[in-house]
């Protein structure tokens, strides 16, 4: 059985009929081919799948698509404006905060949710916000530096 839902994704309105067991990440990656949202653990542990749902950073592997009915979703695909990168994307590149890149979309979406809510966070607040996002490459220092740099922009 399929369930009708309506979502706004990166400012665009969509209607879908989805199976009850589809997660939000399934809808994004399979139906919309928005593969910038990565699936790591699939269990809420790594944060690679983070998107913003009604202003909050959410693990898209932990929310059913039907639960997101009526919500406003932001994904990494919505950040750049044509060829102009979002300040967070620029800062991650400039600060060397990207190595393999697997964690990067989730890191950036969590950081965006933080900066949208709190434009001048302390280092502790940045680290606390990012505690659910794992990175096996960078050692985190450059990621924190990138969020600080993006904030200044
Ligand atoms: S894939 Fe969702 S938290 Fe790891
Ligand atoms: S850059 Fe490789 S996991 Fe973070």
């Amino acid at each position: 059985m399929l369930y009708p839902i309506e979502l706004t994704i990166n400012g665009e309105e969509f209607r879908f009929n989805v199976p009850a067991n589809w997660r939000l990440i399934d809808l994004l990656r399979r139906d919309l081919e928005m593969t910038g949202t990565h699936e790591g653990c699939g269990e809420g542990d790594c944060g690679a799948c983070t998107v913003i749902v009604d202003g909050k950073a959410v693990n898209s592997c932990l929310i059913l698509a039907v639960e997101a009915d009526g919500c406003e979703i932001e994904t990494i695909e919505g950040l750049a404006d044509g060829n102009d990168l979002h300040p967070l994307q620029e800062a991650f590149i400039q600060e060397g905060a990207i190595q393999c890149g697997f964690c990067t979309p989730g890191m950036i979406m969590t950081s965006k949710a933080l900066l949208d809510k709190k434009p001048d966070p302390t280092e502790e607040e940045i680290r606390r916000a990012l505690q659910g996002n794992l990175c096996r490459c960078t050692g985190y220092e450059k990621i924190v530096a990138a969020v600080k740099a993006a904030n200044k922009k």
Side-chain angles (χ1 to χ4, degrees):
M1 179 162 172
L2 299 178
Y3 293 85
I5 60 170
E6 293 181 15
L7 300 174
T8 304
I9 302 175
N10 300 330
E12 201 178 331
E13 289 178 14
F14 292 89
R15 289 177 184 203
F16 304 97
N17 291 308
V18 293
N21 63 348
W22 268 33
R23 306 162 303 167
L24 181 57
I25 193 171
D26 299 322
L27 183 65
L28 294 172
R29 290 183 58 92
R30 291 189 205 173
D31 253 35
L32 293 167
E33 297 183 0
M34 289 184 169
T35 54
T37 300
H38 293 162
E39 179 159 13
C41 64
E43 296 179 347
D45 289 332
C46 73
C49 64
T50 305
V51 299
I52 300 176
V53 178
D54 287 347
K56 286 189 187 150
V58 166
N59 291 330
S60 61
C61 72
L62 289 186
I63 177 173
L64 293 171
V66 290
E67 290 180 290
D69 185 21
C71 291
E72 197 157 316
I73 315 289
E74 294 172 66
T75 73
I76 191 72
E77 286 86 356
L79 259 57
D81 183 8
N83 288 331
D84 295 330
L85 294 179
H86 186 279
L88 273 165
Q89 293 171 308
E90 277 179 358
F92 268 64
I93 294 169
Q94 282 164 3
E95 296 293 328
I98 304 172
Q99 288 189 29
C100 80
F102 191 81
C103 70
T104 308
M107 289 285 183
I108 288 179
M109 296 315 288
T110 299
S111 302
K112 182 176 188 297
L114 171 67
L115 295 182
D116 285 351
K117 202 168 286 175
K118 192 155 198 325
D120 195 14
T122 63
E123 176 162 338
E124 192 190 336
E125 287 168 331
I126 295 170
R127 288 183 184 275
R128 201 178 314 131
L130 290 172
Q131 66 190 0
N133 291 77
L134 304 185
C135 176
R136 62 189 170 186
C137 308
T138 65
Y140 300 98
E141 298 300 327
K142 292 179 176 180
I143 291 173
V144 173
V147 179
K148 286 184 189 167
N151 182 43
K152 290 205 182 92
K153 294 182 188 206

